Structure formats: structure tokens, C-alpha cells
């Protein structure tokens, strides 16, 4: 078995074999999504590692919806037999997503992908996903609602273009009831001029409580730090009961320069003096109490 495994590994490093695998993946994904798909190369590495290069997926209007220069992933096989998806590492290089819709009530151009991947089985399969390492480099996400005008220099949720995305993320647990997320580092730029040099945080939440800790947000001339924020809430049939929401938190050692937020209002560009802030706050019974504000 070991000899056979080594022979297979050697065979799939032959360019002709890699192209053959790419054509098979290309055909399978194209038939599944019912759209045009191209895959440049598929390479199966050692210990369940897969490398896919030059992936392009078009939407149903034949516009490029997804481009990925390189995707590598390493999946644990044994947890799959138990209904769990455990991915030790994912690396995305040069991933570019283009989302659009003609108006606010229309479906996104990626809706057909969601529909094709949805299970036809009416029984619910519990979600159980673990990603030990997700690394993103040189990527972007664009969203356009085509019936709305562009607003150059101002943040516009109908026309978003987040580029130069670089991140290192750990998803320890994602189930129907729990999310345990650790964003070690995330940086990006938005076309309106919004720049996030670094965002890091830890989030641990279930259907009764959420804890946000070690949040750090660095912009060119601003630094926001929230050590720990806890929220309690209740759900009724998967809908949040807003009156049940209570939370408490603290902001320390932070400063904000309004000019970093000029994409939300042009007049802020002239306000270049730091505002240092420190506060403790609590929300109970629909009231926000600020115990300390400096």
C-alpha cells in the first residue's frame, strides 16, 4: 500500500497527469454549478494536501465571478467519516470575488452556486467545521448594485471594493450552536479610502452568550483596543429577542484620528488631531450606562 501511494504521488507530479486531473475537476464543477469553469492545474501533495492553480468560475451572465491564482488545502480524512470537516490549513493567493445584482430585491449573481450546493435532502445535517489555519494573500472582494450611482471618495455599501486583503484566521469551532473564531491578523483597503492596517480579535459565542476579547483595530493614525466585551441574549425560533440583549465592555488605551474616517464624511479629512478615549459601559433594560468616560 505504501509503495502504491508513493507511485501515485510520483505520477501526479507529471504535468500531463496534473492537466488530466484539472480537466476532470473542471468538468465535475462545471456540471455541478451549470456554468463555465476553468482549472489550470491540480496537484495532490503528501498527506492529503491538494493544490489547485488558476481557477476561474463565471456567473450565469458569463462574467467572471471568482478567480483564484492558487488554492492549497490539507483535509483530515478520519473526521469526515464522523460527519466533521477538519481542515488543518487553507491558503488562498490571488483570490478575487466579484458579486453583483441589478437592484436591492434581486438575487446575487452567486445565488445559483448556493442553490446548486444546497442539499436536496430535507433532513438537517449538523454543521461541524474546524479550520486550524486560513491564510489569505493579495485578494479582493467587489460588490456592485448596478442601479445605484458610484460615490468616489465616499463609503458606499452599494458599491464596495475591498482589495489588498491579507489575513491569518483560525476557526476553532463552527457548529449550529457555537462559533469560536480567532482573527490573528486581517488587513485591507476599501476604494473609498478606508484603510485597516490590522484587525485582530477573539470571538466565542453560542445561543445565549458571546464574548469578544483582545480586539485591536489599527488604522493609519488610529488605534482602538477593547480588552473584553460580554453580551447575553435570547433567541426565539432562531430570531434574536432584542429586548433580551445586555452587554458590558471596556475601551482602554485607544485614540482615534477623525481624518481616518473621512470616507464616511468628507469634512473629517481636515480633523487630523488624535482623540484619546477610555471608557467603561453597560447596557441593561434597554438603557446604556457609561460608568467612566475619559
Amino acid at each position: 500500500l505504501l509503495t502504491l501511494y508513493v507511485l501515485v504521488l510520483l505520477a501526479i507530479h507529471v504535468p500531463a497527469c496534473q492537466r488530466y486531473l484539472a480537466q476532470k475537476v473542471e468538468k465535475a464543477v462545471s456540471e455541478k454549478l451549470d456554468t463555465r469553469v476553468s482549472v489550470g492545474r491540480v496537484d495532490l501533495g503528501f498527506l492529503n494536501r491538494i493544490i489547485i492553480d488558476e481557477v476561474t468560475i463565471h456567473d450565469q451572465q458569463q462574467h467572471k465571478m471568482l478567480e483564484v491564482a492558487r488554492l492549497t488545502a490539507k483535509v483530515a480524512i478520519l473526521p469526515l467519516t464522523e460527519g466533521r470537516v477538519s481542515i488543518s490549513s487553507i491558503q488562498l493567493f490571488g483570490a478575487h470575488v466579484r458579486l453583483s445584482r441589478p437592484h436591492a430585491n434581486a438575487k446575487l449573481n452567486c445565488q445559483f452556486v448556493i442553490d446548486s450546493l444546497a442539499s436536496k435532502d430535507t433532513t438537517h445535517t449538523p454543521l461541524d467545521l474546524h479550520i486550524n489555519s486560513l491564510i489569505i494573500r493579495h485578494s479582493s472582494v467587489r460588490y456592485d448594485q448596478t442601479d445605484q450611482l458610484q460615490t468616489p471618495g465616499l463609503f458606499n455599501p452599494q458599491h464596495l471594493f475591498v482589495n489588498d486583503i491579507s489575513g491569518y484566521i483560525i476557526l476553532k469551532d463552527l457548529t449550529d450552536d457555537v462559533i469560536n473564531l480567532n482573527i490573528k491578523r486581517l488587513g485591507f483597503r476599501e476604494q473609498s479610502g478606508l484603510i485597516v492596517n490590522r484587525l485582530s480579535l477573539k470571538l466565542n459565542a453560542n445561543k445565549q452568550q458571546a464574548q469578544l476579547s483582545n480586539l485591536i483595530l489599527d488604522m493609519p493614525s488610529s488605534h482602538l483596543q477593547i480588552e473584553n466585551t460580554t453580551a447575553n441574549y435570547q433567541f426565539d425560533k432562531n430570531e434574536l429577542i432584542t429586548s433580551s440583549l445586555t452587554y458590558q465592555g471596556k475601551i482602554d488605551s485607544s485614540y482615534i484620528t477623525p481624518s481616518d474616517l473621512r470616507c464616511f464624511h468628507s469634512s473629517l479629512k481636515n480633523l487630523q488631531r488624535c482623540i484619546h478615549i477610555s471608557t467603561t459601559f453597560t447596557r441593561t433594560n434597554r438603557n446604556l450606562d457609561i460608568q467612566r468616560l475619559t
Side-chain angles (χ1 to χ4, degrees):
L1 287 176
L2 180 60
T3 302
L4 179 61
Y5 181 70
V6 172
L7 289 175
V8 170
L9 283 180
L10 292 174
I12 59 180
H13 282 81
V14 177
C17 185
Q18 292 175 343
R19 181 54 193 161
Y20 174 78
L21 288 174
Q23 290 174 347
K24 288 296 184 181
V25 172
E26 191 176 279
K27 182 180 179 181
V29 177
S30 179
E31 291 178 351
K32 176 66 176 178
L33 302 182
D34 192 25
T35 190
R36 187 152 60 98
V37 176
S38 65
V39 178
R41 186 175 72 99
V42 175
D43 184 7
L44 299 178
F46 188 62
L47 295 177
N48 309 323
R49 185 166 179 260
I50 183 170
I51 304 170
I52 304 177
D53 290 335
E54 300 174 3
V55 179
T56 303
I57 300 178
H58 292 73
D59 61 20
Q60 293 185 320
Q61 286 73 43
Q62 297 305 307
H63 299 142
K64 288 183 179 179
M65 184 181 65
L66 172 66
E67 290 182 285
V68 180
R70 167 162 286 196
L71 164 65
T72 70
K74 191 173 180 181
V75 182
I77 300 300
L78 185 59
L80 292 176
T81 63
E82 303 170 352
R84 298 184 294 115
V85 179
S86 181
I87 303 174
S88 59
S89 66
I90 298 179
Q91 296 179 350
L92 274 174
F93 299 99
H96 304 288
V97 181
R98 299 177 180 87
L99 305 177
S100 64
R101 58 181 172 183
H103 54 83
N105 295 324
K107 295 181 179 180
L108 286 170
N109 62 329
C110 67
Q111 184 62 46
F112 75 99
V113 176
I114 299 173
D115 293 340
S116 65
L117 296 178
S119 175
K120 303 301 187 291
D121 188 356
T122 56
T123 59
H124 175 65
T125 302
L127 177 64
D128 195 349
L129 175 64
H130 311 269
I131 302 176
N132 293 333
S133 173
L134 170 59
I135 296 175
I136 305 172
R137 294 287 185 271
H138 309 299
S139 299
S140 68
V141 176
R142 178 184 289 276
Y143 165 73
D144 290 297
Q145 185 177 312
T146 54
D147 67 337
Q148 297 294 315
L149 296 176
Q150 298 271 1
T151 55
L154 289 176
F155 185 82
N156 185 343
Q158 281 78 42
H159 294 281
L160 297 173
F161 181 38
V162 183
N163 57 63
D164 200 17
I165 300 174
S166 178
Y168 174 30
I169 300 170
I170 299 173
L171 183 61
K172 293 184 178 180
D173 288 292
L174 179 60
T175 68
D176 292 336
D177 301 318
V178 173
I179 179 172
N180 191 336
L181 176 68
N182 184 358
I183 299 179
K184 305 285 283 187
R185 178 178 290 272
L186 178 64
F188 58 86
R189 296 170 177 264
E190 210 280 324
Q191 64 179 352
S192 61
L194 178 66
I195 300 174
V196 173
N197 293 328
R198 177 192 177 190
L199 171 65
S200 62
L201 60 87
K202 291 182 179 180
L203 175 64
N204 194 342
N206 54 40
K207 290 191 174 181
Q208 292 82 37
Q209 187 183 75
Q211 291 183 325
L212 178 66
S213 59
N214 300 330
L215 186 150
I216 297 176
L217 173 63
D218 284 330
M219 300 175 70
S221 302
S222 301
H223 173 80
L224 177 65
Q225 183 170 330
I226 300 178
E227 294 181 3
N228 190 30
T229 298
T230 303
N232 294 278
Y233 42 80
Q234 295 177 2
F235 279 89
D236 181 18
K237 297 179 180 179
N238 294 324
E239 289 189 7
L240 176 66
I241 303 174
T242 55
S243 60
S244 69
L245 177 62
T246 62
Y247 55 80
Q248 59 183 4
K250 181 173 68 173
I251 299 176
D252 268 334
S253 305
S254 299
Y255 55 89
I256 299 173
T257 303
S259 60
D260 281 346
L261 305 175
R262 61 185 177 272
C263 62
F264 299 106
H265 201 287
S266 58
S267 62
L268 294 177
K269 66 181 180 181
N270 299 319
L271 302 178
Q272 299 179 1
R273 185 173 179 177
C274 288
I275 300 172
H276 293 259
I277 186 170
S278 176
T279 184
T280 304
F281 54 88
T282 303
R283 182 194 188 271
T284 57
N285 300 323
R286 300 186 179 182
N287 295 321
L288 179 63
D289 297 327
I290 299 177
Q291 293 85 22
R292 175 179 61 85
L293 175 62
T294 305

